Amino acid sequence: MKSLAVKATAVLLATGIGAGAAWSAESLQDVMKRRGLSQQDLMAAAKTYTPTGKRDEFLAFSSGGQSGQILVYGIPSMRILKYIGVFTPEPWQGYGYDEESKAVLRQGWIDGKEITWGDTHHPAISETQGQYDGQFLFINDKANPRLAVVDLRDFETKQIVVNPIYKSEHGGAFVTPDTDYVIEAAQYATPLENQKFYPLEEFNEKYRGGVTYWKFDRKAGRLDPSKSFSLELPPYSQDLSDAGKGPSDGWSFTNSFCSERYVGGIEKGRPPYEAGCSAKDTDYLHVVNWKKAAELVAQGKAKKINGHDVLMMETAVKEGILFLIPEPKSPHGVDVTPDGKFIIVAGKLDTHVSVYSFDKIQAAIKAGKFESKDPYGIPVIGMKDALHTQVPLGLGPLHTQFDAKQCVAYTSLYVDSQVAKWDFCEGKVLDKISVHYNIGHLMTMEGDSVDPKGRYLVALNKLSIDRFNPVGPLHPQNHQLIDISNDKMQLLYDMPLPLGEPHYVVAIEASKLKPGVRYKVGTNSRTDEPHPGKVRAGEERIERDGNKVTVYGTLIRSHITPETIEVEVGDEVTINLTNLERAQDETHGFAVSTYNVHASIEPGKSVSVKFKADKEGVYPYYCTEFCSALHLEMQGYLLVKPKGWKATTKEIAKAAYTESDYQTTLKKVVDTQAVIDSVVAFITSTNYKDFPDVVNMVEDATDQLGKAADAKSRHEAAAAKQDWEQANLWAEQVWQYQVKAADIGIRAKTYLEQNGAKKIQ
Ligand code: CUK
Ligand code: CUA
């Protein structure tokens, strides 16, 4: 019988890769006709189609809405690459099913309550001098006021912080130009003290909004609650925020709706919120000098609320760091231009976007020129004194993003279902394009940084109505890709998103991201520290301390060590596992039947799963990632014995192998070695050392083969004792290592052939 590896190699050697593929007999015209495609469709396809092996120019990080996750997709292909578990358990990644990730999710519990979902709205990539640096990603949870930190070295969630004073939030996550702070503003006003009740009749006096500045410790890669602070704000339903940049660095801007401070009561015959919250023609843009605020907090001028530093309005007004400017009408987005000179606000119920001038705002503040004070004594700058221009764009303007081209902005028009391209310096409309349907946010490449890259725009539409094959009353979301590289915008692609309602998305040049492919062996990926349960090959063991059983195990193709775990009913079981692989993409999963534990263990990672073995019985455990040809055999048994069980004297049944079986296996080993030798000869005849990926694969293959030496000495020893079962099976194990080495070797050979390796001998 020829082995799998032998056969596969023979085919590869005989045909070479990619030779002689019979291409379709249809012409391009035939296909266009058959599928009803226009020239324009073809152009759109050519602009997005990404052939196999080719990669995207940009990576987008989208809020996953109610899923509490982040979606990662490529632009322009719109291929989804990953869902990152953030506020919600995510089984594939073991997020919420292993102890390390449970510890992260536990940081997000509120008042001792486990919260298993989140309403993610605004992702933000860390910035250095206002440019996306590709190191960290932040995202907020509107429903349960929280922020999370994702490290872009491994795309894993590392930290969740709970806002200490809000009960809901919205205007986060927005970073300051050097990511000193991550901004998070409240949404629906509540009393700031935790678990404190005041009736709605005391709304104006006792309910408050605010804006929180979370200190980011870049070296630690974590937010530092002890150095974070908030600014108390009136109960105006603060909405979105943005940080100043360039000339406006050090300031932040947060708009609001329902500055009417209306409290509803439709059930008591009062007009509903929507009427009461949109009665006035203007709401307030909050203008905050956060640099000065941080200094005041450092000087001890904050008040502790729930143990957190809060700079009260009174102090902020006295120190001259908080101002209001009227903004029309029930506004939504607030976006600072790349040059930091203007602040653009779109009023949902107004047809204009309002462009405020930072220079004019500063001039008014310097001159002490205010038109009034709000009920809390905050100085109000006159709209006329702060406006640069107002531009009529259409119905329901919401959010604005920027182009690489000077002065060019794009604003979403919710009611019109359009994107408007316009010039914020001159105040004129340049182009419009229809989207499908009811756009919320829109996003251009690095379009909220100081250095937008232009090229593409993504429209995040709230409804998809008729765009896709129907899948029931709940429709997928629709992200539409638009080419903005020319004067006229061109719609390129509809991407259905089947996971929550994304609000915002950010996209970064793919070349700025340098994620790793493996961990240093024994790493707890959630803390970046060495895992206390890590072991190297040969150190695997099971320890018992009273009723606590701790397993120190490893995984490598294609076995889990140990393969039997014996415990007594009632034992507390902790299984630590280290993936010893170095090969790229050789992740193993780990699941135990019916105990609700799962782990994803990428090369080098260590994790632990923990459970109480409260049910007597036999529970298989296995690897959940198809990691090699013998993946299904990557298995073991958890034996939960009744209390006081006496070990059986019976032995495990021996199979009747003969010397001739042993000889056949040895022959197979020799044949396979010949295949390996030929692959090695091919690889070493090329400049493979110029390909780091191949160097890694060669290292891994050598590793696998290296393990065969021990198995070889075992089969030889057993053969000397004429124990043909042991001799045959250890010889089989030698062959297993060979197969894995050959598998990787063939992968390396294919890679070299497809990537133009040169013969050097
Ligand atoms: S929000 Cu949803 S469309 Cu939370 Cu930024 Cu505007
Ligand atoms: Cu490891 Cu399947």
Side-chain angles (χ1 to χ4, degrees), residues 257-296:
F257 60 90
C258 206
S259 60
E260 292 86 351
R261 297 180 289 168
Y262 190 66
V263 295
I266 193 169
E267 67 292 333
K268 292 178 186 149
R270 281 163 56 81
Y273 273 108
E274 56 178 319
C277 281
S278 59
K280 285 199 314 175
D281 280 339
T282 55
D283 290 282
Y284 286 124
L285 177 66
H286 303 66
V287 178
V288 179
N289 183 339
W290 63 258
K291 261 201 185 136
K292 189 97 183 282
E295 287 166 22
L296 295 173

Side-chain angles (χ1 to χ4, degrees), residues 81 91 108 110 139 164 389 445 547 604 631 662 687 748:
L81 302 172
I110 298 180
I139 195 158
T389 183
M445 306 301 100
N547 71 338
H631 149 78
Y662 176 55
N687 59 333

Side-chain angles (χ1 to χ4, degrees), residues 121-122 170 240 332 398-399 440-441 462 501 503:
H121 278 233
H122 305 107
H170 189 227
L240 288 165
H332 193 39
L398 296 186
H399 297 287
H441 273 274
K462 295 301 177 189
E501 183 205 323
H503 287 257

Side-chain angles (χ1 to χ4, degrees), residues 555 557-558 587-589 623-628 631-632 634:
L555 305 116
R557 279 156 295 158
S558 304
T587 293
H588 301 289
C623 169
T624 61
E625 285 269 340
F626 209 113
C627 51
S628 76
H631 149 78
L632 295 176
M634 202 163 169

Side-chain angles (χ1 to χ4, degrees), residues 602-653:
E602 296 90 54
K605 195 192 241 187
S606 289
V607 302
S608 47
V609 298
K610 209 170 175 173
F611 55 91
K612 188 170 178 173
D614 49 8
K615 306 174 293 178
E616 175 186 322
V618 175
Y619 304 94
Y621 54 85
Y622 69 100
C623 169
T624 61
E625 285 269 340
F626 209 113
C627 51
S628 76
L630 274 296
H631 149 78
L632 295 176
E633 290 77 356
M634 202 163 169
Q635 64 176 53
Y637 281 111
L638 168 73
L639 304 169
V640 184
K641 302 180 286 190
K643 283 232 179 306
W645 171 261
K646 291 253 163 23
T648 171
T649 52
K650 211 169 160 183
E651 291 206 0
I652 291 173

